[in-house]
Amino acid sequence: MQGALRTFLTHGNVVKDSLFQHLRVSSPVLRPIVFSRFESVSSALIEENGFESTTIADILKEKGKSADGSWLWCTTDDTVYDAVKSMTHHNVGALVVVKHGEQKSIAGIITERDYLRKIIVQGRSSKSTKVGDIMTEENKLITVTHDTKVLKAMQLMTDKRIRHIPVIDDKGMIGMVSIGDVVRAVVTEYREELDRLNAYIQGCY
């Protein structure tokens, strides 16, 4: 997964190679011509059409109300067993951890990785260990805001080797996105941009 993400982050090569494949320019004579035209217009066209403009807010909106303020959570006093059971039930890989009785007051995050490394590997009991004992604490959390660009979030998640990232504003947490959400958003944006470049090269602009 990490290698695939780094490939996406090499913007020029991804767009260029995908464009050639999309247009099926098989002739070695035509390829330099198309590439030259692509190089000369892509920057202006990308800027004009707002390429790489998708933000985290767009992802939350696409995911729906369940991702906007109604994120899944547990408390610091819950057992790790109950937290993992909740992850399994909802088919997610992480839960936001809040302080007991304060749903808007984020205390940290617990992930499947925390469970594996801090419970299974260390031979601890998930039924007697509190979430607060193994979670990633708030002061160590890596977060984004609603206006963070998706590619920036992808870069951040790749560099820090994390799969889930909380979304916050000045009032607290408003949602959480996964690496899967981010990848889908990037793929969609590249696909739309390739369609525009294809239309330009075909003379539609």
Side-chain angles (χ1 to χ4, degrees):
M1 172 65 79
Q2 296 295 330
L5 295 181
R6 294 189 187 282
T7 300
F8 272 112
L9 291 171
T10 55
H11 308 153
N13 288 336
V14 170
V15 175
K16 180 185 70 176
D17 294 342
S18 299
L19 181 60
F20 284 143
Q21 182 179 8
H22 186 64
L23 294 176
R24 295 176 180 165
V25 181
S26 56
S27 169
V29 176
L30 291 178
R31 284 178 67 92
I33 296 174
V34 173
F35 178 66
S36 176
R37 182 170 173 78
F38 170 80
E39 289 283 8
S40 65
V41 304
S42 59
S43 295
L45 187 59
I46 284 172
E47 183 176 353
E48 177 185 347
N49 288 280
F51 185 55
E52 298 170 8
S53 62
T54 303
T55 65
I56 293 299
D58 296 320
I59 292 181
L60 292 180
K61 182 178 179 181
E62 181 68 22
K63 290 178 71 173
K65 293 182 178 179
S66 61
D68 190 6
S70 300
W71 26 269
L72 299 170
W73 55 277
C74 61
T75 74
T76 53
D77 290 339
D78 288 337
T79 65
V80 174
Y81 176 83
D82 288 335
V84 172
K85 186 176 179 180
S86 179
M87 289 187 216
T88 302
H89 177 72
H90 293 99
N91 194 30
V92 297
L95 293 177
V96 174
V97 183
V98 298
K99 297 174 183 177
H100 186 69
E102 303 178 40
Q103 185 176 343
K104 276 291 185 179
S105 182
I106 182 171
I109 187 174
I110 182 172
T111 68
E112 294 170 329
R113 186 177 295 175
D114 291 323
Y115 173 65
L116 290 172
R117 292 181 176 180
K118 301 173 184 178
I119 297 295
I120 298 299
V121 173
Q122 296 181 20
R124 300 166 70 179
S125 170
S126 63
K127 291 187 176 181
S128 61
T129 304
K130 301 294 185 182
V131 168
D133 294 334
I134 71 164
M135 69 181 184
T136 300
E137 296 179 350
E138 180 187 10
N139 60 355
K140 297 179 181 179
L141 279 181
I142 297 169
T143 62
V144 293
T145 62
H146 71 282
D147 58 354
T148 300
K149 297 294 179 66
V150 166
L151 280 177
K152 174 66 176 178
M154 175 184 275
Q155 181 73 66
L156 190 61
M157 297 173 83
T158 303
D159 291 345
K160 301 298 183 180
R161 303 181 67 85
I162 56 177
R163 295 184 298 161
H164 302 86
I165 194 163
V167 186
I168 62 171
D169 62 12
D170 55 356
K171 296 181 180 179
M173 184 164 171
I174 59 175
M176 184 159 64
V177 296
S178 69
I179 192 64
D181 298 327
V182 172
V183 169
R184 280 190 292 273
V186 171
V187 169
T188 297
E189 188 163 12
Y190 273 124
R191 184 179 296 117
E192 291 173 353
E193 185 59 27
L194 287 174
D195 289 341
R196 287 194 287 268
L197 288 171
N198 185 24
Y200 185 94
I201 292 172
Q202 297 293 337
C204 296
Y205 279 88

